[in-house]
Amino acid sequence: MFLPKPVRALALASTVLLIFLLLQLSRKAPPVKEPRVVYPDMKTDPNLEETHEPAGHLWRADDYAVDNPNSPRINASILSLVRNEEVDGMVTSMRDLERTWNHKFNYPWTFFNDKPFSEEFKTKTRAETRAPCYYEVIPKEHWAVPNWINHDLVRESGKILADGGAQYGNMISYHQMCRWNSGMFYHHPALKNIRYYWRVEPKVHFFCDVDYDVFRYMQDHNKTYGFTINLYDDPKTMPSLWPETMRFTEAHPEHLKPDTDTARPWLEDKKRRPEHNEKANGYSTCHFWSNFEIADMEFWRSRAYEDYFNHLDRAGGFFYERWGDAPVHSIALGLFEDKSKIHWFRDIGYQHIPYFNCPNSPKCTGCRKGLFTDGEDFLYKEDCRPNWFKYVGMG
């Protein structure tokens, strides 16, 4: 029987579609990459264990309405250094943190930029929160390359860093950002009356409901610094950072705490990745990944840290090498602060590509428990938490 041409075409398309669907159904799904650890002395990732809130008294979301002048909120703010063109990534981060935490506590957002914020940026970010938003321009003297820095040497060293594969090695704005995050941000006039902060960057994710005031937790439990992810750094970006630090501590032994009270062994470990310690001239390169940090600015404003930062600043390594705020903050905390005042926020699910902190908690969604990275296997060796657990613990 003759079939009209349109009917034959439809029948052929249906047959092709059916074959395609059968082939798709017969294919095996790709295996899910299970969380794992590469170090035999850390037999299981602590994030595979059931995760609870920190012990002790916690402030719940009572009386935290944004218009309540008598709320339990303390002098704290969420902080972000961000450019106008990163507004969509910033909205992503805000949406996650507001959903999981800040819609309950209504702490203000304070945004920093070396240029004035656009109206688009302000409109989009204000739409994501009921809390106040502040838009601050960084003073030129806080952002500019210091006058004692040799610009010819910066260009030459930047080229060497870039040729050696150091990420952002020849991007001067990245060096300026690292310096500002290391020792300038807490001097901004907008933060004069702020003590605690939660640093948030664009394009990060938060996965777990947090039902207590983290700033109150830091204050009530005498914590200085809170982190989620703990990594090794690239030693070729900081060959002189540890030697310069040792020169500072020799000149200022009064700032050091007893080694038994600090995380110094975590800073100096050379057993797990000896090549890092060797290339960084005595520094393990372990650091808190500072794109997430909840901290007490009184530590950065202390005489010990100010003296240390000023010493490093004069040495020039923020520009001649690529000293980052993460290792600078971490070294200072490891030498000048009691290790009991540093807290792992294991209950806060967090991602900054390509790394995760994924707790085992019914309060978390979208984050597979115990996952450290969804990238290639070689990234697992960048995990420095085993050292932290070994030398400090899980507090």
Side-chain angles (χ1 to χ4, degrees), residues 206 353 374:
F206 298 92
I353 294 173
D374 57 359

Side-chain angles (χ1 to χ4, degrees), residues 306-377:
E306 287 280 64
D307 286 350
Y308 177 55
F309 171 76
N310 288 331
H311 177 93
L312 296 182
D313 202 24
R314 282 286 174 177
F318 289 109
F319 296 96
Y320 302 142
E321 296 178 11
R322 202 211 67 191
W323 295 352
D325 53 279
V328 170
H329 280 184
S330 301
I331 289 173
L333 288 159
L335 295 177
F336 312 139
E337 187 53 285
D338 192 306
K339 61 188 176 185
S340 67
K341 295 185 178 183
I342 303 171
H343 178 69
W344 176 34
F345 277 103
R346 62 186 300 179
D347 58 315
I348 297 181
Y350 177 71
Q351 180 202 21
H352 183 299
I353 294 173
Y355 301 112
F356 292 79
N357 184 66
C358 287
N360 177 5
S361 169
K363 292 187 175 188
C364 304
T365 56
C367 187
R368 196 164 71 252
K369 63 183 181 183
L371 182 67
F372 173 68
T373 181
D374 57 359
E376 298 299 320
D377 282 352

Side-chain angles (χ1 to χ4, degrees), residues 45-85:
D45 191 314
N47 274 334
L48 292 173
E49 303 167 4
E50 189 173 355
T51 304
H52 303 283
E53 294 177 335
H57 175 71
L58 301 172
W59 287 77
R60 302 300 177 179
D62 301 319
D63 303 320
Y64 276 87
V66 69
D67 57 353
N68 180 6
N70 300 312
S71 81
R73 276 187 297 273
I74 59 175
N75 292 333
S77 182
I78 305 165
L79 304 186
S80 184
L81 174 64
V82 57
R83 297 170 294 188
N84 285 313
E85 56 269 31

